[in-house]
Amino acid sequence: MNGDWLLRGRDGRLSVYLPSGDAVLCRAELGPGGPWEAPPRKVGGDQKLRPGPAVGQGADGYAHLVSWRPTKPGEAGLVHSTHFRPRLAALDWTPIGHPDKTGDRTGTPAVAVDTQGRAHVFVRNKGGGVSMVAQKEKGGWDPWRDLKGRDVQEDLAAVTGESGRVELYAAVPGGLVYWRQAEPGTPPVLEEAVETPVRPGTLRALATSADHSTLFYTDDSGDLCAWRPGGKPVALLASAGPGPVSAVRCELDGHDCTLLAQRSSSGRVAFAAYPTEQEAAGAWWTESGPQLPADARVSLTTDEDGRVVAATLSPSTGQLLLTRRKDEPGLALEAWREA
């Protein structure tokens, strides 16, 4: 999944989204902090999907999922589903079109949801730029818009800032580019670009203050870097492993902190925390839990009590492991358990 696949719904229950073959599956807690349902349920009906779905969540707790589906030989279109509560069935997949009107899959989509609950879907187009389609406030979708750009790599990172404005990050050869809405409800505009080497598939964006979001990515040397538009990228620490990081803001011992998690090269989950937007304070990895399959991914969220929750999910095995922060100083975690 492109986006945070471990989410807390508006009813306090946690849920996870798992691509599986030609479908997206969902599992949820039976109650906040309680056992998990089994087996997982299929999202959006029986339509067959292409690989690489995306998920985003609004302040209302609703999850918005987007995926490609085959339409005819050699062609595909994007579809959207809304999941209002983890234990309810998601809406059926609804077609939202193609950035070039017709054609095959062009890239992995990304989803951000604004403060009015409108999903904004971004995807690379056949010209190598980025196109966007957004929900209308009273239903339906606006026309597709070309946001420009060139030589954009497949994976995008979308986020809604604390200001309510939707933002987008993309990697290009030798750098990063950044789009942002001037005002909520307006099309994002290309605002800034920065030169920096970026490993494909490592972008993750997080809203970190009223004025800024922070993009995390891995550079060619293997360093995990942080970039906030208006400044220069900063190398935070050596990447724990080859895959993407997950990031969440949380309170640790009374301080606003950013917590990062990544499957390490040893196969375990590595955690690192530092005061939010204070990369100069430094961070270091601490590993936790059992060794995981090579395809395992990590995601972070907070539960209804504000405690950090971490989950790992392996698409090949379907194994879901979780841990929560203990109610004690520091970042002590409970024993990992299988859902």
Side-chain angles (χ1 to χ4, degrees), residues 197-246:
V198 182
R199 284 187 181 175
T202 62
L203 307 187
R204 181 54 55 93
L206 180 70
T208 48
S209 66
D211 299 318
H212 296 108
S213 60
T214 300
L215 180 74
F216 299 98
Y217 66 95
T218 303
D219 69 11
D220 282 349
S221 69
D223 284 338
L224 179 62
C225 301
W227 178 52
R228 279 183 294 282
K232 295 183 178 179
V234 175
L236 183 60
L237 75 172
S239 177
V245 297
S246 182

mmCIF file of all heavy atoms in Angstrom, residues 197-246:
data_model
loop_
_atom_site.group_PDB
_atom_site.id
_atom_site.type_symbol
_atom_site.label_atom_id
_atom_site.label_comp_id
_atom_site.label_asym_id
_atom_site.label_seq_id
_atom_site.Cartn_x
_atom_site.Cartn_y
_atom_site.Cartn_z
ATOM 1 N N PRO A 197 20.064 13.208 -4.154
ATOM 2 C CA PRO A 197 19.874 11.852 -4.688
ATOM 3 C C PRO A 197 18.830 11.102 -3.862
ATOM 4 O O PRO A 197 18.845 11.149 -2.631
ATOM 5 C CB PRO A 197 21.259 11.221 -4.546
ATOM 6 C CG PRO A 197 21.914 11.981 -3.435
ATOM 7 C CD PRO A 197 21.365 13.371 -3.473
ATOM 8 N N VAL A 198 17.902 10.422 -4.527
ATOM 9 C CA VAL A 198 16.792 9.755 -3.850
ATOM 10 C C VAL A 198 16.673 8.320 -4.347
ATOM 11 O O VAL A 198 16.644 8.081 -5.555
ATOM 12 C CB VAL A 198 15.456 10.490 -4.110
ATOM 13 C CG1 VAL A 198 14.311 9.804 -3.367
ATOM 14 C CG2 VAL A 198 15.556 11.954 -3.706
ATOM 15 N N ARG A 199 16.609 7.379 -3.412
ATOM 16 C CA ARG A 199 16.336 5.994 -3.794
ATOM 17 C C ARG A 199 14.843 5.847 -4.088
ATOM 18 O O ARG A 199 14.007 6.273 -3.289
ATOM 19 C CB ARG A 199 16.726 5.036 -2.673
ATOM 20 C CG ARG A 199 18.216 4.812 -2.536
ATOM 21 C CD ARG A 199 18.516 3.723 -1.511
ATOM 22 N NE ARG A 199 19.948 3.527 -1.354
ATOM 23 C CZ ARG A 199 20.490 2.708 -0.465
ATOM 24 N NH1 ARG A 199 19.714 2.016 0.363
ATOM 25 N NH2 ARG A 199 21.801 2.579 -0.379
ATOM 26 N N PRO A 200 14.482 5.247 -5.209
ATOM 27 C CA PRO A 200 13.061 5.078 -5.539
ATOM 28 C C PRO A 200 12.321 4.277 -4.468
ATOM 29 O O PRO A 200 12.882 3.372 -3.839
ATOM 30 C CB PRO A 200 13.096 4.322 -6.866
ATOM 31 C CG PRO A 200 14.448 4.604 -7.449
ATOM 32 C CD PRO A 200 15.366 4.741 -6.277
ATOM 33 N N GLY A 201 11.067 4.636 -4.248
ATOM 34 C CA GLY A 201 10.217 3.882 -3.341
ATOM 35 C C GLY A 201 10.453 4.134 -1.870
ATOM 36 O O GLY A 201 10.023 3.333 -1.032
ATOM 37 N N THR A 202 11.124 5.249 -1.513
ATOM 38 C CA THR A 202 11.432 5.495 -0.096
ATOM 39 C C THR A 202 10.789 6.768 0.449
ATOM 40 O O THR A 202 11.104 7.188 1.561
ATOM 41 C CB THR A 202 12.959 5.569 0.129
ATOM 42 O OG1 THR A 202 13.501 6.673 -0.613
ATOM 43 C CG2 THR A 202 13.641 4.282 -0.311
ATOM 44 N N LEU A 203 9.871 7.402 -0.284
ATOM 45 C CA LEU A 203 9.277 8.655 0.179
ATOM 46 C C LEU A 203 8.186 8.397 1.208
ATOM 47 O O LEU A 203 7.339 7.528 1.042
ATOM 48 C CB LEU A 203 8.671 9.439 -0.990
ATOM 49 C CG LEU A 203 9.537 9.742 -2.203
ATOM 50 C CD1 LEU A 203 8.791 10.679 -3.144
ATOM 51 C CD2 LEU A 203 10.870 10.338 -1.794
ATOM 52 N N ARG A 204 8.186 9.196 2.287
ATOM 53 C CA ARG A 204 7.104 9.160 3.269
ATOM 54 C C ARG A 204 6.961 10.564 3.865
ATOM 55 O O ARG A 204 7.921 11.111 4.403
ATOM 56 C CB ARG A 204 7.401 8.142 4.376
ATOM 57 C CG ARG A 204 6.302 8.021 5.434
ATOM 58 C CD ARG A 204 4.934 7.725 4.848
ATOM 59 N NE ARG A 204 4.918 6.560 4.012
ATOM 60 C CZ ARG A 204 4.622 5.337 4.435
ATOM 61 N NH1 ARG A 204 4.339 5.130 5.702
ATOM 62 N NH2 ARG A 204 4.605 4.331 3.598
ATOM 63 N N ALA A 205 5.771 11.153 3.761
ATOM 64 C CA ALA A 205 5.526 12.524 4.221
ATOM 65 C C ALA A 205 4.701 12.514 5.490
ATOM 66 O O ALA A 205 3.816 11.677 5.671
ATOM 67 C CB ALA A 205 4.820 13.333 3.138
ATOM 68 N N LEU A 206 4.971 13.490 6.369
ATOM 69 C CA LEU A 206 4.289 13.600 7.659
ATOM 70 C C LEU A 206 4.071 15.071 7.981
ATOM 71 O O LEU A 206 4.995 15.883 7.855
ATOM 72 C CB LEU A 206 5.144 12.954 8.759
ATOM 73 C CG LEU A 206 4.589 12.971 10.178
ATOM 74 C CD1 LEU A 206 3.380 12.046 10.312
ATOM 75 C CD2 LEU A 206 5.678 12.565 11.182
ATOM 76 N N ALA A 207 2.856 15.428 8.388
ATOM 77 C CA ALA A 207 2.593 16.788 8.859
ATOM 78 C C ALA A 207 3.265 16.956 10.219
ATOM 79 O O ALA A 207 2.995 16.194 11.149
ATOM 80 C CB ALA A 207 1.089 17.024 8.975
ATOM 81 N N THR A 208 4.143 17.964 10.334
ATOM 82 C CA THR A 208 4.943 18.084 11.555
ATOM 83 C C THR A 208 4.764 19.401 12.304
ATOM 84 O O THR A 208 5.292 19.551 13.409
ATOM 85 C CB THR A 208 6.441 17.886 11.231
ATOM 86 O OG1 THR A 208 6.807 18.698 10.100
ATOM 87 C CG2 THR A 208 6.728 16.432 10.895
ATOM 88 N N SER A 209 4.049 20.379 11.737
ATOM 89 C CA SER A 209 3.772 21.629 12.443
ATOM 90 C C SER A 209 2.675 22.364 11.694
ATOM 91 O O SER A 209 2.228 21.921 10.632
ATOM 92 C CB SER A 209 5.029 22.502 12.567
ATOM 93 O OG SER A 209 5.445 22.952 11.293
ATOM 94 N N ALA A 210 2.264 23.504 12.223
ATOM 95 C CA ALA A 210 1.200 24.273 11.581
ATOM 96 C C ALA A 210 1.597 24.744 10.192
ATOM 97 O O ALA A 210 0.740 24.926 9.321
ATOM 98 C CB ALA A 210 0.823 25.463 12.458
ATOM 99 N N ASP A 211 2.883 24.938 9.958
ATOM 100 C CA ASP A 211 3.343 25.503 8.686
ATOM 101 C C ASP A 211 4.072 24.521 7.786
ATOM 102 O O ASP A 211 4.312 24.829 6.619
ATOM 103 C CB ASP A 211 4.271 26.698 8.951
ATOM 104 C CG ASP A 211 3.570 27.817 9.701
ATOM 105 O OD1 ASP A 211 2.411 28.099 9.361
ATOM 106 O OD2 ASP A 211 4.180 28.383 10.622
ATOM 107 N N HIS A 212 4.447 23.365 8.317
ATOM 108 C CA HIS A 212 5.327 22.495 7.556
ATOM 109 C C HIS A 212 4.888 21.034 7.599
ATOM 110 O O HIS A 212 4.286 20.580 8.567
ATOM 111 C CB HIS A 212 6.764 22.557 8.092
ATOM 112 C CG HIS A 212 7.411 23.890 7.957
ATOM 113 N ND1 HIS A 212 7.647 24.712 9.032
ATOM 114 C CD2 HIS A 212 7.865 24.554 6.868
ATOM 115 C CE1 HIS A 212 8.222 25.830 8.611
ATOM 116 N NE2 HIS A 212 8.361 25.763 7.308
ATOM 117 N N SER A 213 5.231 20.328 6.535
ATOM 118 C CA SER A 213 5.300 18.873 6.558
ATOM 119 C C SER A 213 6.756 18.498 6.329
ATOM 120 O O SER A 213 7.557 19.302 5.845
ATOM 121 C CB SER A 213 4.402 18.252 5.485
ATOM 122 O OG SER A 213 4.793 18.683 4.196
ATOM 123 N N THR A 214 7.106 17.272 6.714
ATOM 124 C CA THR A 214 8.477 16.793 6.551
ATOM 125 C C THR A 214 8.454 15.557 5.671
ATOM 126 O O THR A 214 7.639 14.652 5.882
ATOM 127 C CB THR A 214 9.108 16.450 7.909
ATOM 128 O OG1 THR A 214 9.123 17.630 8.734
ATOM 129 C CG2 THR A 214 10.537 15.956 7.748
ATOM 130 N N LEU A 215 9.331 15.523 4.692
ATOM 131 C CA LEU A 215 9.474 14.358 3.830
ATOM 132 C C LEU A 215 10.679 13.555 4.285
ATOM 133 O O LEU A 215 11.780 14.099 4.433
ATOM 134 C CB LEU A 215 9.665 14.780 2.377
ATOM 135 C CG LEU A 215 9.816 13.599 1.406
ATOM 136 C CD1 LEU A 215 8.471 12.919 1.180
ATOM 137 C CD2 LEU A 215 10.429 14.044 0.081
ATOM 138 N N PHE A 216 10.472 12.272 4.494
ATOM 139 C CA PHE A 216 11.562 11.347 4.797
ATOM 140 C C PHE A 216 11.851 10.506 3.555
ATOM 141 O O PHE A 216 10.930 10.060 2.858
ATOM 142 C CB PHE A 216 11.193 10.444 5.976
ATOM 143 C CG PHE A 216 10.926 11.204 7.253
ATOM 144 C CD1 PHE A 216 9.627 11.506 7.626
ATOM 145 C CD2 PHE A 216 11.968 11.639 8.053
ATOM 146 C CE1 PHE A 216 9.360 12.215 8.791
ATOM 147 C CE2 PHE A 216 11.715 12.354 9.223
ATOM 148 C CZ PHE A 216 10.416 12.646 9.593
ATOM 149 N N TYR A 217 13.138 10.297 3.287
ATOM 150 C CA TYR A 217 13.536 9.485 2.138
ATOM 151 C C TYR A 217 14.950 8.977 2.376
ATOM 152 O O TYR A 217 15.679 9.469 3.255
ATOM 153 C CB TYR A 217 13.473 10.289 0.838
ATOM 154 C CG TYR A 217 14.469 11.426 0.767
ATOM 155 C CD1 TYR A 217 15.711 11.263 0.150
ATOM 156 C CD2 TYR A 217 14.198 12.663 1.348
ATOM 157 C CE1 TYR A 217 16.630 12.293 0.099
ATOM 158 C CE2 TYR A 217 15.120 13.695 1.306
ATOM 159 C CZ TYR A 217 16.330 13.511 0.684
ATOM 160 O OH TYR A 217 17.249 14.535 0.655
ATOM 161 N N THR A 218 15.348 7.982 1.602
ATOM 162 C CA THR A 218 16.710 7.455 1.667
ATOM 163 C C THR A 218 17.492 7.953 0.467
ATOM 164 O O THR A 218 16.999 7.917 -0.665
ATOM 165 C CB THR A 218 16.695 5.917 1.690
ATOM 166 O OG1 THR A 218 15.905 5.469 2.785
ATOM 167 C CG2 THR A 218 18.094 5.360 1.839
ATOM 168 N N ASP A 219 18.717 8.440 0.706
ATOM 169 C CA ASP A 219 19.545 8.915 -0.408
ATOM 170 C C ASP A 219 20.442 7.795 -0.929
ATOM 171 O O ASP A 219 20.409 6.661 -0.428
ATOM 172 C CB ASP A 219 20.336 10.167 -0.015
ATOM 173 C CG ASP A 219 21.435 9.896 1.016
ATOM 174 O OD1 ASP A 219 21.746 8.716 1.291
ATOM 175 O OD2 ASP A 219 21.991 10.880 1.553
ATOM 176 N N ASP A 220 21.235 8.113 -1.941
ATOM 177 C CA ASP A 220 22.044 7.085 -2.597
ATOM 178 C C ASP A 220 23.096 6.482 -1.673
ATOM 179 O O ASP A 220 23.545 5.356 -1.892
ATOM 180 C CB ASP A 220 22.745 7.671 -3.829
ATOM 181 C CG ASP A 220 21.803 7.808 -5.014
ATOM 182 O OD1 ASP A 220 20.685 7.261 -4.940
ATOM 183 O OD2 ASP A 220 22.177 8.471 -6.003
ATOM 184 N N SER A 221 23.506 7.213 -0.651
ATOM 185 C CA SER A 221 24.521 6.694 0.265
ATOM 186 C C SER A 221 23.928 5.801 1.344
ATOM 187 O O SER A 221 24.667 5.206 2.135
ATOM 188 C CB SER A 221 25.279 7.855 0.916
ATOM 189 O OG SER A 221 24.424 8.563 1.812
ATOM 190 N N GLY A 222 22.596 5.727 1.412
ATOM 191 C CA GLY A 222 21.950 4.908 2.427
ATOM 192 C C GLY A 222 21.523 5.671 3.657
ATOM 193 O O GLY A 222 21.027 5.070 4.618
ATOM 194 N N ASP A 223 21.678 7.002 3.646
ATOM 195 C CA ASP A 223 21.232 7.802 4.786
ATOM 196 C C ASP A 223 19.740 8.081 4.689
ATOM 197 O O ASP A 223 19.208 8.355 3.606
ATOM 198 C CB ASP A 223 21.982 9.135 4.840
ATOM 199 C CG ASP A 223 23.397 8.995 5.355
ATOM 200 O OD1 ASP A 223 23.675 8.000 6.055
ATOM 201 O OD2 ASP A 223 24.224 9.871 5.052
ATOM 202 N N LEU A 224 19.064 8.027 5.836
ATOM 203 C CA LEU A 224 17.680 8.463 5.918
ATOM 204 C C LEU A 224 17.693 9.975 6.116
ATOM 205 O O LEU A 224 18.297 10.483 7.065
ATOM 206 C CB LEU A 224 16.964 7.781 7.086
ATOM 207 C CG LEU A 224 15.504 8.172 7.288
ATOM 208 C CD1 LEU A 224 14.652 7.794 6.098
ATOM 209 C CD2 LEU A 224 14.948 7.528 8.561
ATOM 210 N N CYS A 225 17.045 10.687 5.197
ATOM 211 C CA CYS A 225 17.097 12.144 5.182
ATOM 212 C C CYS A 225 15.722 12.729 5.451
ATOM 213 O O CYS A 225 14.688 12.081 5.237
ATOM 214 C CB CYS A 225 17.601 12.645 3.837
ATOM 215 S SG CYS A 225 19.256 12.046 3.399
ATOM 216 N N ALA A 226 15.705 13.975 5.921
ATOM 217 C CA ALA A 226 14.470 14.719 6.160
ATOM 218 C C ALA A 226 14.556 16.041 5.412
ATOM 219 O O ALA A 226 15.587 16.714 5.440
ATOM 220 C CB ALA A 226 14.279 14.967 7.660
ATOM 221 N N TRP A 227 13.455 16.391 4.753
ATOM 222 C CA TRP A 227 13.407 17.662 4.019
ATOM 223 C C TRP A 227 12.092 18.366 4.281
ATOM 224 O O TRP A 227 11.024 17.766 4.184
ATOM 225 C CB TRP A 227 13.565 17.451 2.520
ATOM 226 C CG TRP A 227 13.471 18.727 1.721
ATOM 227 C CD1 TRP A 227 14.176 19.876 1.936
ATOM 228 C CD2 TRP A 227 12.617 18.992 0.597
ATOM 229 N NE1 TRP A 227 13.826 20.840 1.014
ATOM 230 C CE2 TRP A 227 12.872 20.326 0.175
ATOM 231 C CE3 TRP A 227 11.681 18.237 -0.091
ATOM 232 C CZ2 TRP A 227 12.209 20.914 -0.905
ATOM 233 C CZ3 TRP A 227 11.020 18.818 -1.170
ATOM 234 C CH2 TRP A 227 11.283 20.145 -1.561
ATOM 235 N N ARG A 228 12.202 19.660 4.641
ATOM 236 C CA ARG A 228 11.044 20.535 4.711
ATOM 237 C C ARG A 228 11.230 21.648 3.688
ATOM 238 O O ARG A 228 12.275 22.322 3.691
ATOM 239 C CB ARG A 228 10.894 21.131 6.128
ATOM 240 C CG ARG A 228 10.230 20.179 7.105
ATOM 241 C CD ARG A 228 10.030 20.807 8.470
ATOM 242 N NE ARG A 228 11.296 21.094 9.131
ATOM 243 C CZ ARG A 228 12.048 20.184 9.743
ATOM 244 N NH1 ARG A 228 11.670 18.920 9.773
ATOM 245 N NH2 ARG A 228 13.177 20.521 10.324
ATOM 246 N N PRO A 229 10.259 21.816 2.803
ATOM 247 C CA PRO A 229 10.382 22.872 1.795
ATOM 248 C C PRO A 229 10.690 24.216 2.441
ATOM 249 O O PRO A 229 10.177 24.550 3.522
ATOM 250 C CB PRO A 229 9.014 22.862 1.134
ATOM 251 C CG PRO A 229 8.558 21.440 1.258
ATOM 252 C CD PRO A 229 9.046 21.005 2.616
ATOM 253 N N GLY A 230 11.553 24.954 1.783
ATOM 254 C CA GLY A 230 12.057 26.203 2.338
ATOM 255 C C GLY A 230 13.417 26.033 2.971
ATOM 256 O O GLY A 230 14.098 27.020 3.275
ATOM 257 N N GLY A 231 13.839 24.792 3.180
ATOM 258 C CA GLY A 231 15.145 24.507 3.753
ATOM 259 C C GLY A 231 15.902 23.509 2.898
ATOM 260 O O GLY A 231 15.522 23.220 1.767
ATOM 261 N N LYS A 232 16.971 22.979 3.455
ATOM 262 C CA LYS A 232 17.789 21.994 2.756
ATOM 263 C C LYS A 232 17.600 20.628 3.394
ATOM 264 O O LYS A 232 17.326 20.524 4.584
ATOM 265 C CB LYS A 232 19.272 22.396 2.812
ATOM 266 C CG LYS A 232 19.594 23.682 2.067
ATOM 267 C CD LYS A 232 21.084 23.985 2.107
ATOM 268 C CE LYS A 232 21.410 25.257 1.324
ATOM 269 N NZ LYS A 232 22.862 25.565 1.380
ATOM 270 N N PRO A 233 17.733 19.550 2.610
ATOM 271 C CA PRO A 233 17.640 18.215 3.196
ATOM 272 C C PRO A 233 18.718 18.001 4.246
ATOM 273 O O PRO A 233 19.838 18.526 4.147
ATOM 274 C CB PRO A 233 17.852 17.285 1.991
ATOM 275 C CG PRO A 233 17.499 18.109 0.798
ATOM 276 C CD PRO A 233 17.916 19.512 1.142
ATOM 277 N N VAL A 234 18.358 17.223 5.270
ATOM 278 C CA VAL A 234 19.262 16.918 6.377
ATOM 279 C C VAL A 234 19.372 15.407 6.511
ATOM 280 O O VAL A 234 18.348 14.708 6.543
ATOM 281 C CB VAL A 234 18.745 17.512 7.700
ATOM 282 C CG1 VAL A 234 19.614 17.085 8.871
ATOM 283 C CG2 VAL A 234 18.663 19.022 7.608
ATOM 284 N N ALA A 235 20.592 14.892 6.575
ATOM 285 C CA ALA A 235 20.794 13.472 6.842
ATOM 286 C C ALA A 235 20.558 13.232 8.325
ATOM 287 O O ALA A 235 21.234 13.812 9.182
ATOM 288 C CB ALA A 235 22.196 13.050 6.440
ATOM 289 N N LEU A 236 19.581 12.388 8.637
ATOM 290 C CA LEU A 236 19.189 12.161 10.024
ATOM 291 C C LEU A 236 19.990 11.041 10.669
ATOM 292 O O LEU A 236 20.553 11.187 11.754
ATOM 293 C CB LEU A 236 17.692 11.869 10.078
ATOM 294 C CG LEU A 236 17.053 11.669 11.441
ATOM 295 C CD1 LEU A 236 17.221 12.910 12.309
ATOM 296 C CD2 LEU A 236 15.563 11.338 11.279
ATOM 297 N N LEU A 237 20.052 9.893 10.004
ATOM 298 C CA LEU A 237 20.827 8.745 10.468
ATOM 299 C C LEU A 237 20.873 7.744 9.335
ATOM 300 O O LEU A 237 20.144 7.861 8.352
ATOM 301 C CB LEU A 237 20.240 8.126 11.735
ATOM 302 C CG LEU A 237 18.963 7.275 11.657
ATOM 303 C CD1 LEU A 237 18.701 6.611 13.014
ATOM 304 C CD2 LEU A 237 17.754 8.059 11.236
ATOM 305 N N ALA A 238 21.748 6.757 9.457
ATOM 306 C CA ALA A 238 21.839 5.730 8.421
ATOM 307 C C ALA A 238 20.546 4.932 8.392
ATOM 308 O O ALA A 238 19.980 4.588 9.437
ATOM 309 C CB ALA A 238 23.025 4.815 8.686
ATOM 310 N N SER A 239 20.060 4.645 7.199
ATOM 311 C CA SER A 239 18.841 3.858 7.071
ATOM 312 C C SER A 239 19.029 2.494 7.713
ATOM 313 O O SER A 239 20.087 1.872 7.592
ATOM 314 C CB SER A 239 18.485 3.704 5.591
ATOM 315 O OG SER A 239 17.362 2.901 5.410
ATOM 316 N N ALA A 240 17.990 2.015 8.411
ATOM 317 C CA ALA A 240 18.088 0.713 9.070
ATOM 318 C C ALA A 240 17.999 -0.430 8.082
ATOM 319 O O ALA A 240 18.518 -1.522 8.332
ATOM 320 C CB ALA A 240 16.982 0.573 10.122
ATOM 321 N N GLY A 241 17.311 -0.195 6.951
ATOM 322 C CA GLY A 241 17.112 -1.243 5.963
ATOM 323 C C GLY A 241 16.756 -0.635 4.627
ATOM 324 O O GLY A 241 16.705 0.583 4.464
ATOM 325 N N PRO A 242 16.459 -1.472 3.630
ATOM 326 C CA PRO A 242 16.260 -0.967 2.275
ATOM 327 C C PRO A 242 14.875 -0.398 1.993
ATOM 328 O O PRO A 242 14.702 0.338 1.034
ATOM 329 C CB PRO A 242 16.508 -2.210 1.412
ATOM 330 C CG PRO A 242 16.109 -3.352 2.294
ATOM 331 C CD PRO A 242 16.491 -2.952 3.683
ATOM 332 N N GLY A 243 13.880 -0.731 2.778
ATOM 333 C CA GLY A 243 12.515 -0.337 2.455
ATOM 334 C C GLY A 243 12.147 1.036 2.978
ATOM 335 O O GLY A 243 12.967 1.764 3.551
ATOM 336 N N PRO A 244 10.879 1.422 2.796
ATOM 337 C CA PRO A 244 10.418 2.729 3.270
ATOM 338 C C PRO A 244 10.277 2.760 4.783
ATOM 339 O O PRO A 244 10.161 1.721 5.448
ATOM 340 C CB PRO A 244 9.046 2.885 2.587
ATOM 341 C CG PRO A 244 8.578 1.473 2.398
ATOM 342 C CD PRO A 244 9.804 0.658 2.126
ATOM 343 N N VAL A 245 10.283 3.963 5.341
ATOM 344 C CA VAL A 245 10.030 4.130 6.764
ATOM 345 C C VAL A 245 8.563 4.454 6.975
ATOM 346 O O VAL A 245 7.866 4.915 6.075
ATOM 347 C CB VAL A 245 10.884 5.256 7.389
ATOM 348 C CG1 VAL A 245 12.354 4.931 7.281
ATOM 349 C CG2 VAL A 245 10.559 6.604 6.785
ATOM 350 N N SER A 246 8.094 4.199 8.188
ATOM 351 C CA SER A 246 6.809 4.724 8.632
ATOM 352 C C SER A 246 7.112 5.778 9.683
ATOM 353 O O SER A 246 8.123 5.693 10.390
ATOM 354 C CB SER A 246 5.938 3.617 9.220
ATOM 355 O OG SER A 246 4.663 4.120 9.601
#
